[in-house]
Each structure stands twice: as structure tokens, then as C-alpha cells.
């Protein structure tokens, strides 16, 4: 069916490329140059990521050196297709792509050389209704972010790309800003510009080792790079090694970097004159892409049975593999179904090279938590050409100022937990799934099948027995919702049944997930709603054990807390404080609850230590990130403080709702009234009445609620968490509830969810979080908070509700008086309000956003092309004065003093503690 021409194999491209490359050197390389013995920053790896990083750092006046084992681009960059798109289902990625296009578009003017940028546009092809809905979401997000796109019917799409068969697809989304970038030309232009700014490049210079030393606090710090040409003294190394990134990390003593190399391929067709100038195409439904290169069409895709490599030899360069047509033929069949003429066109060359993939299909950026001064910039999942120019801007800021300007958490290497990285099978399974599902529809509540069960809390089996349907977050399994009477366990990854792996016999979890494959309300909407309303109207039990839990102690613990936390922590030892952790630019790196301690009895939940200490609780999926930020503060300021992770050793059971006090009081002698146990305090209490024995168990109780209800969190040592859970499960009126209900309840209350509606690119004043920031003190980021208080802000948090029963999840455009002014960061359904909720930030064309500006507008939210009237609130209308937190439920005919009396209920220090 396909004519393959072998006499001009793509391998000859490498030879010709090298000849041209050597004859056209206009930048400073190692030839004839004196060897440098020190540098501010050393970049390892001369692919597109390294060249972009060199360019951005040298522009900022930094003494920076790039080391390349062989020749620039000789790893995986030289054979890349170089597609650059504009629209992605993430606002961060859209911004990074904008920045990349700006960089590539400006290189020619800066250097005088053509940089290989071709703006021929791009088109997404939809073959299904649900894919069309996804594209409409992208179209809407583009409106909010100033990215033009156009929805086309099949015949309109055919006019832009004449080879298309309009009968096989339903619609197309056209983006005129898309294009391609030539890797060799781009890297030449980047290093030429970098050389003008003093950047140095050394080719044929393999790195032998990265040296580090232990400082007085025992932390590792980079001290230099050892090469076969000599030693370079430096305090900062950037790992741009691509598929060789893990090897470079091991030089610095980092045991694992989650990158897996795969063979990835495309073929180049014979000339087809009618496609010259046509847009590039992505047909996601069949995992296919076209790149238009003159009159040739590059055809590639992501198959479900890719070839995974154990490793790529360190000396391999300008290398390609033989194409396996048994694997690749699926893409040719898809291509001819979309464009029948391609079945009659010859193939003049094939490209099959190594590409690096990561467990969640996101790059690995940022400073390694194991070694200060070691930064990573690799793992681009075959998207390095389009992302690395944008990410290099953020990397430069990250290195020079401590943190990037954008919210880069989803790319931050510290998003992975130690338990995830320590499991080689988790990395391989998850990376395989990320490759296979690269073009899958991104549903808001989908869950992975690979790499599951990396971490369990002590209650895992009990929850499964009680009907929990699990979610995966940072390797932890946590209950999403419950189906009582069912026992649906996540199975081992079966690799999709390819390559002779047998499919799992039990596929109930996979089938259940299909109920989430929608941009409307989930098939489990009513189940989640029942759990949420049980919390609002009675009481619910939440397993929150996956939270990150740390003790901050040591002689300088108080000084560390004063620097790191925005809230006033000079309170009594029984106080619980909600606080933020900011970066040097005033952006929110984490929100936490901090319990103030003055030592304890020596048990796990109340350890013995000298002086003041703190029990820090943060979101589980960002716990490693939070810990790394705190450790950097300790390191930077040379503080004698210790951060001890007890996340595995403690479980958390949250009892929330109007009946929570009545229920919990039956199991403890501790006073639970507002007088005996005030809101935002913590105490060590005893829980009794376990069903299998008569023992008593002590735990730390925190009177706090993320649901916005009267309630407590019990922080129980894992060794007896099962007994406490079983005891509470006997209580009448206490309903097991999962995280889907809990996040809905928190959204309804207007509480923030970090990395969604509260991020590193949000100032606390913008986010209505000024109440968490003390007006005096020296906490990090304080000057930016003070400036925002004084001068106002150009974006502001807003809470919106819809009367129409339509699902929103985030990324939907927000309109004020008919003009886009932002997009929804967080969408959910408030079951008590009985309304869809959208939380986002409103802008005013760069001008200050005031209360009057917010209140005077007429608002709409666009959902998949349709606009719906929205009502804006400055904060949630649900219990705005917080009466429910105090147990005042006048509408239910009760308040906190109507509960049945119990020993110590009305005594602040009552009960036997």
C-alpha cells in the first residue's frame, strides 16, 4: 500500500547536517577558546532545552557555560518534528507556548539569521461528540487568554487542508498562531545570541562528575563540575540532559529522576504540492499528527504498544533506530482514513529516535530537593521544541530570584513524593501510560490506572471494605466516594493488554471510571451529593490521612516559622493557625494549618522537644513541595531547625457536620463545647469504646473544618487508627464521605484549594487572603503583600454561581459586560446551594480591580460555546459569618449548647484528658 524509498534514508540527514553545522559556526565554542575554571552557572546538555536556558541566562548578564558531550542538538533535538501549538487544556501551558512563539519569532531580528520559525497554523480534528466538547473548552479558554481560534465544520476544514476527507470527522478547531520550528536553525540562533551576551559553549566535553559538599547543617550543595577537559567551580548546575537526565542526576548523588526513554517515530512523505502552506494537523481521536514541511507531510503518532528502552547509551548521538512497521502501521492506516491520498504517496524517509517521557506527561523543572544548586530542565515528553523557550524564561527567574513568575508546580520536579520515586516500577508503568494516553481526552475527574497503590495509609483496607472508590494523589490512595456494599479495588497495571500482557479479569474500577468520562455531570453526581449533604445536615466521616504532616522543631524553629509563615504564631501553645507560605515575590507556595506546641508526653502525636515547636499539616499532593520550600528557607538562612515528616505515622479522621459534637462526645471524656474546646485550638484527647476491646487511644484533636461545618480532625497514630475508625463507624448518623464531596463542600464554603484557585502566581491580597498575613514582622514576601494592600491589585478573587444546571470544572471564560475578564480556576457543584460554582480572578485590562468594579458588572460564564448568566459574590454566600463552624445551627433548631450534657462539656479544661 505504501511505497518506501530507502535510497535517501533520514540517516543521511545527520551527515549533511553536521557538514553544514560545522561550516556555519558564528558563536563562541570551545575551539581555540581558553578553558574557564569557574562559572556562575553550568548547563549540562546542548539540546534545545540547554540552548534556550543558555540564551535566557546570558541575556541577564550571568556568567554561564554550556557543556555538550558531542555536538549541539546531537541527542534527541536534531530529529524532532518541531511542532508548536497554541491551545492546551491548561492555562500555564498556554502561557508558556505564547512565550515560546515570542522567543522564536524574535530571534531572526536579534541575530540577523533565520531561526526556522514557520507560522503555518494548526488544526485539531474531532471524530466524536465528546472530543468536540473538549475542543470547545479549548476554544473558550483561548478567548479568555487572547489566543484566537476558529471552530470549523468539515468542509471549511477541507478548504484549509485539501487532503482531508470531510466524511470521517465532525468538526475542526483551527488556531492561526500555530507553526513549526527547525531545531538546528533555532539552536544556532540561540547560541549565537547567547555568545553575544558572553555565554560560552564547550562541545565534545563530556561531564564525568558533579561535585557537591555537605554544609554545616548537613545539606548537600553543588561545588563544581568535573569534565575530561578540566574542573569548573560553580554553585549551580542545570541538568538539560534529556533522556540522559537521570545519569546526570546520579552524578550529583540523586538516585532517581523519573524519565523513561521510548522509541518515537514519524515518516516523511514524497512531495504533495497541494499541501504547501497548509496548517499542521492533530487527529487526537486516532493518536495522529501531521507536520507540513514544504510539500512533504511528516506523519507520526502515539501508539498503544510503544517500545520502551531501558536506557540510551551515553555515547549515542545523531542516532536513529530502524522503524518497526508492525507498530507504526496503525498511524499510516489512521492517516489514510483521514486523508485517502496519503495511501498513494511514497515514503521517502523514516525517523525513529529516542524521546524522554515522564509519569504524568509533564517536564521536570526546578531545584532538586536532595542537592541545593542542582536544577533540572528535562523530560519534555516529545514537546521540548514548543515548551523549552517558554520554560527557559521561568528557569532563569527560578535560578536567579529563587522562584519563577508563573505557577510552575505541575512542572516542578518536587511534585513527586519520595515513595513514588523510590519505586522503579511506578516510574515505568506511569510513563508508559502517559505515552499511550498522550492524546486522550483530558477529563476533569479521570484517574490513572498505572502506578497505583504506591502509598497506603493504615485505613486503606477498612475503607475498601466499606465501599471506597479510590483516587490517586502523589502516589497516595485516598477515597473519592463510597459505594456501600461494593469492594472495588484498583488492580495492578496490565499495560492495556499489549505485548502479551493479560488483561485484568477484574475491570470494575476501569468500568466505574467511565462514569467520569464526561464534561457534564458525573454518573456519580448523586452519590457525591448525598455524601456532601450528609455533612451539611448530619455528620460525615472523612479519611484525610494522605495529608502531609511535619514537626518543625529545633533551637531556631520559632525563627523559621516567623520567616516562613504569614500568620501570627506568637500565641498560646493550644492554638491552631491557618497560614500561608509565600515566596520572595509574594506568591502563595502553600496554605497550611500550624498547631503551636510546647513539647509533649513523648507519644507520636505529641513528641518531646525543647522550646517551641510546630505541627504543620498541608495538602498531601504538594507535601514534598512544601517541605522542600521550608528546607530551602532553613538552608538559606542557616537556621538550626529540623523538619520531620510523620505523614506515614499518623492518620487523620475528620468528623464534620451539625451532629459531629454529639457523636464524638460519646467516644471521649474531653469537653467539646465552644468554652471547653474553642474553634481553632488543638488538644490531646482520649478516644474509647473500640468494638474489639475496651482500650483507650490518645490522639491529637484539631477543631478545624475544611467543609465549613462544626467538626474536628483526629490525628491518630497509625498503629491504632483502625481501632479508632471501627469505633466511630458504629455511630448512628455518621456517613462515610470521600474527597469529591469534601472538595465540593470546601468550594461551596469559599475555601481555597492550593494550586487551583490559590497558586504561586497569586498574591494573598488578590486572593482575599489578607486576613492570614500579619501586618508586621519579617515573613518572606511581606513587602509584596504590603504593596498590594496599599496600591490595590489588578486581578481579584471572585465567587460566581449559575442558576442553570450546567457543569463547570475550570478553564471556562468569564465575561463582564460582554468582554472576557478572566477564566474559572475552580469549578464544582454546591449541593447545599444547589448551584454550579465557579471561582476565578477578575481583571480590568491592567487597571486596578476595586469592589465597585466587581459589583457593578454583569457576568457570564461560557461553557463549551454557550454563555450562562452568573452572579458574582466577593465571598461565598454559604454561611458568610461562620456560624456553623461555631455549632450555631439555628435553621436546624439547634446550637452548640443544645447537645446532651457530658462530663466537662462546659468546662474549658474539663474532662479527663
Amino acid at each position: 500500500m505504501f511505497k518506501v524509498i530507502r535510497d535517501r534514508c533520514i540517516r543521511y540527514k545527520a551527515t549533511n547536517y553536521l557538514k553544514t553545522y560545522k561550516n556555519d559556526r558564528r558563536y563562541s565554542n570551545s575551539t581555540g577558546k581558553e578553558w574557564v575554571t569557574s562559572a556562575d552557572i553550568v548547563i549540562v546538555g546542548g539540546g534545545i532545552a540547554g540552548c534556550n536556558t543558555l540564551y535566557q541566562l546570558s541575556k541577564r548578564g550571568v556568567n554561564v557555560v554550556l557543556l555538550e558531550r558531542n555536538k549541539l542538538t546531537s541527542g534527541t533535538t536534531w530529529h524532532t518534528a518541531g511542532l508548536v501549538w497554541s491551545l492546551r487544556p491548561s492555562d500555564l501551558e498556554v502561557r508558556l507556548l505564547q512565550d515560546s512563539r515570542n522567543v522564536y519569532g524574535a530571534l531572526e531580528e536579534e541575530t540577523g539569521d533565520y531561526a526556522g520559525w514557520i507560522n503555518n497554523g494548526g488544526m485539531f480534528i474531532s471524530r466524536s461528540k465528546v472530543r468536540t466538547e473538549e475542543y470547545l473548552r479549548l476554544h473558550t479558554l483561548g478567548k479568555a487568554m487572547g489566543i484566537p481560534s476558529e471552530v470549523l465544520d468539515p468542509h471549511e476544514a477541507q478548504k484549509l487542508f485539501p487532503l482531508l476527507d470531510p466524511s470521517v470527522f465532525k468538526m475542526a478547531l483551527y488556531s492561526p498562531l500555530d507553526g513549526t520550528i527547525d531545531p538546528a536553525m533555532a539552536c544556532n540562533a540561540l547560541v549565537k545570541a547567547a555568545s553575544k551576551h558572553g555565554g560560552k559553549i564547550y562541545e565534545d566535553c563530556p561531564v564525568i562528575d558533579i561535585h557537591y559538599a555537605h554544609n554545616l547543617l548537613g545539606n548537600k550543595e553543588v561545588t563544581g563540575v568535573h569534565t575530561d577537559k578540566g574542573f569548573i567551580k560553580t554553585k549551580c548546575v542545570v541538568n538539560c540532559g534529556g533522556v540522559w537526565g537521570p545519569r546526570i542526576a546520579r552524578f550529583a548523588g540523586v538516585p532517581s529522576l523519573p524519565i523513561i526513554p521510548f522509541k518515537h517515530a514519524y515518516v516523511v512523505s514524497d512531495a504533495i504540492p497541494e499541501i504547501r502552506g497548509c496548517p499542521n494537523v492533530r487527529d487526537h481521536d486516532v493518536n495522529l499528527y501531521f507536520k507540513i514541511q514544504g510539500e512533504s507531510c511528516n506523519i507520526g503518532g502515539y501508539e498503544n504498544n510503544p517500545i520502551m528502552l531501558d536506557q540510551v547509551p551515553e555515547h549515542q548521538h545523531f542516532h536513529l533506530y530502524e522503524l518497526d512497521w508492525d507498530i507504526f502501521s496503525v498511524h499510516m492506516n489512521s492517516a489514510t482514513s483521514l486523508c485517502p491520498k496519503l495511501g498513494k504517496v511514497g515514503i521517502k524517509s523514516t525517523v525513529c529516535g529516542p524521546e524522554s517521557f515522564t509519569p504524568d506527561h509533564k517536564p521536570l523543572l526546578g531545584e532538586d530537593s536532595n542537592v541545593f544548586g542542582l536544577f533540572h530542565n528535562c523530560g519534555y515528553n516529545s514537546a521540548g521544541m514548543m515548551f523549552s523557550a517558554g520554560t527557559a524564561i521561568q528557569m532563569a527567574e527560578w535560578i536567579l530570584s529563587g522562584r519563577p513568575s508563573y505557577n510552575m508546580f505541575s512542572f516542578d520536579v518536587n511534585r513527586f513524593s519520595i515513595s513514588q520515586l523510590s519505586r522503579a516500577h511506578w516510574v515505568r508503568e506511569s510513563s508508559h501510560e502517559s505515552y499511550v494516553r498522550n492524546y486522550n481526552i483530558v477529563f476533569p475527574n479521570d484517574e490513572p490506572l498505572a502506578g497505583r497503590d504506591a502509598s497506603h495509609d493504615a485505613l486503606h483496607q477498612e475503607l475498601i471494605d466499606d465501599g471506597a472508590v479510590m483516587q490517586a494523589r502523589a502516589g497516595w490512595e485516598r477515597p473519592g466516594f463510597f459505594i456501600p456494599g461494593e469492594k472495588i479495588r484498583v488492580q495492578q497495571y496490565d499495560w492495556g493488554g499489549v505485548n502479551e500482557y493479560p488483561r485484568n479479569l477484574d475491570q470494575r474500577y476501569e468500568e466505574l471510571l467511565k462514569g467520569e468520562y464526561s464534561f457534564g455531570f458525573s454518573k456519580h453526581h448523586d452519590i457525591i451529593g448525598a455524601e456532601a449533604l450528609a455533612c451539611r445536615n448530619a455528620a460525615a466521616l472523612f479519611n484525610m490521612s494522605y495529608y502531609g504532616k511535619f514537626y518543625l522543631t529545633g533551637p531556631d524553629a520559632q525563627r523559621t516559622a516567623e520567616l516562613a509563615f504569614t500568620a501570627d504564631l506568637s500565641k498560646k501553645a493550644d492554638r491552631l493557625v491557618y497560614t500561608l507560605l509565600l515566596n520572595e515575590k509574594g506568591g502563595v507556595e502553600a496554605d497550611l494549618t500550624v498547631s503551636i506546641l510546647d513539647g509533649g508526653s513523648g507519644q507520636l502525636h505529641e513528641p518531646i522537644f525543647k522550646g517551641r515547636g510546630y505541627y504543620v499539616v498541608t495538602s498531601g499532593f504538594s507535601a514534598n513541595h512544601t517541605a522542600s520550600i521550608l528546607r530551602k528557607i532553613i538552608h538559606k538562612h542557616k537556621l538550626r531547625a529540623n523538619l520531620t515528616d510523620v505523614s506515614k505515622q499518623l492518620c487523620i479522621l475528620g468528623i464534620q457536620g451539625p451532629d459531629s459534637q454529639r457523636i464524638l462526645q460519646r467516644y471521649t471524656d474531653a469537653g467539646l463545647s465552644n468554652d471547653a474546646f474553642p474553634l481553632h485550638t488543638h488538644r490531646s484527647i482520649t478516644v474509647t469504646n473500640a468494638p474489639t476491646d475496651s482500650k483507650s487511644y490518645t490522639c491529637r484533636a484539631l477543631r478545624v473544618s475544611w467543609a465549613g461545618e462544626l467538626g474536628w480532625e483526629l490525628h491518630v497514630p497509625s498503629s491504632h487508627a483502625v481501632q479508632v475508625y471501627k469505633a466511630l463507624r458504629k455511630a448512628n448518623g455518621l456517613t462515610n464521605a470521600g474527597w469529591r464531596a469534601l472538595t465540593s463542600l470546601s468550594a461551596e464554603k469559599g475555601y481555597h484549594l492550593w494550586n487551583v484557585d490559590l497558586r504561586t502566581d497569586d498574591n494573598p491580597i488578590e486572593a482575599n487572603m489578607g486576613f492570614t498575613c500579619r501586618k508586621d514582622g519579617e515573613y518572606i514576601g511581606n513587602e509584596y503583600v504590603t504593596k498590594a494592600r496599599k496600591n490595590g491589585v489588578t486581578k481579584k478573587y471572585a465567587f460566581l454561581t449559575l442558576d442553570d444546571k450546567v457543569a463547570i470544572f475550570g478553564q471556562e471564560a468569564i465575561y463582564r459586560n460582554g468582554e472576557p475578564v478572566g477564566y474559572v480556576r475552580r469549578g464544582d457543584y454546591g449541593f447545599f446551594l444547589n448551584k454550579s460554582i465557579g471561582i476565578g480572578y477578575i481583571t480590568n485590562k491592567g487597571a486596578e480591580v476595586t469592589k465597585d468594579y466587581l459589583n457593578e458588572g454583569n457576568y457570564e460564564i461560557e461553557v463549551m460555546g454557550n454563555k450562562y448568566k452568573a452572579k458574582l459574590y466577593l465571598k461565598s454566600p454559604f454561611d458568610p459569618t461562620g456560624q456553623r463552624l461555631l455549632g450555631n445551627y439555628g435553621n436546624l433548631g439547634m446550637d452548640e449548647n443544645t447537645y446532651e450534657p457530658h462530663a466537662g462539656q462546659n468546662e474549658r479544661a474539663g474532662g479527663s484528658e
Side-chain angles (χ1 to χ4, degrees), residues 115 167 437 557 599 672 722 909:
S167 68
R437 300 180 68 175
L672 300 179
V722 171

Short mmCIF file of all heavy atoms in Angstrom, two decimals, residues 115 167 437 557 599 672 722 909:
data_model
loop_
_atom_site.label_atom_id
_atom_site.label_comp_id
_atom_site.label_asym_id
_atom_site.label_seq_id
_atom_site.Cartn_x
_atom_site.Cartn_y
_atom_site.Cartn_z
N ALA A 115 15.66 31.83 12.02
CA ALA A 115 15.67 30.87 13.13
C ALA A 115 14.78 29.66 12.88
O ALA A 115 14.64 28.82 13.77
CB ALA A 115 15.23 31.57 14.42
N SER A 167 -15.93 13.45 5.41
CA SER A 167 -16.94 12.49 5.87
C SER A 167 -16.52 11.73 7.12
O SER A 167 -17.35 11.08 7.75
CB SER A 167 -17.27 11.49 4.76
OG SER A 167 -16.16 10.64 4.50
N ARG A 437 -1.52 7.45 26.54
CA ARG A 437 -2.69 8.31 26.69
C ARG A 437 -2.40 9.77 26.34
O ARG A 437 -3.16 10.66 26.69
CB ARG A 437 -3.22 8.22 28.13
CG ARG A 437 -3.63 6.82 28.53
CD ARG A 437 -4.14 6.75 29.95
NE ARG A 437 -5.42 7.43 30.12
CZ ARG A 437 -6.13 7.44 31.24
NH1 ARG A 437 -5.67 6.80 32.31
NH2 ARG A 437 -7.26 8.08 31.31
N ALA A 557 13.46 26.95 65.45
CA ALA A 557 12.14 26.64 64.88
C ALA A 557 11.25 27.88 64.86
O ALA A 557 10.54 28.14 63.88
CB ALA A 557 11.48 25.52 65.67
N GLY A 599 6.09 21.06 73.40
CA GLY A 599 6.54 19.75 73.86
C GLY A 599 5.38 18.90 74.31
O GLY A 599 4.26 19.37 74.52
N LEU A 672 -16.07 19.32 74.62
CA LEU A 672 -16.10 19.69 73.21
C LEU A 672 -16.89 20.95 72.93
O LEU A 672 -17.08 21.31 71.77
CB LEU A 672 -16.68 18.53 72.36
CG LEU A 672 -15.92 17.20 72.41
CD1 LEU A 672 -16.63 16.17 71.55
CD2 LEU A 672 -14.48 17.38 71.95
N VAL A 722 -6.96 1.95 62.97
CA VAL A 722 -8.05 1.04 62.60
C VAL A 722 -9.04 0.90 63.74
O VAL A 722 -10.27 0.92 63.54
CB VAL A 722 -7.49 -0.34 62.20
CG1 VAL A 722 -8.61 -1.35 62.02
CG2 VAL A 722 -6.68 -0.23 60.91
N ALA A 909 -11.31 23.38 80.66
CA ALA A 909 -10.28 22.36 80.87
C ALA A 909 -10.90 21.06 81.37
O ALA A 909 -10.24 20.24 81.98
CB ALA A 909 -9.22 22.85 81.85
#
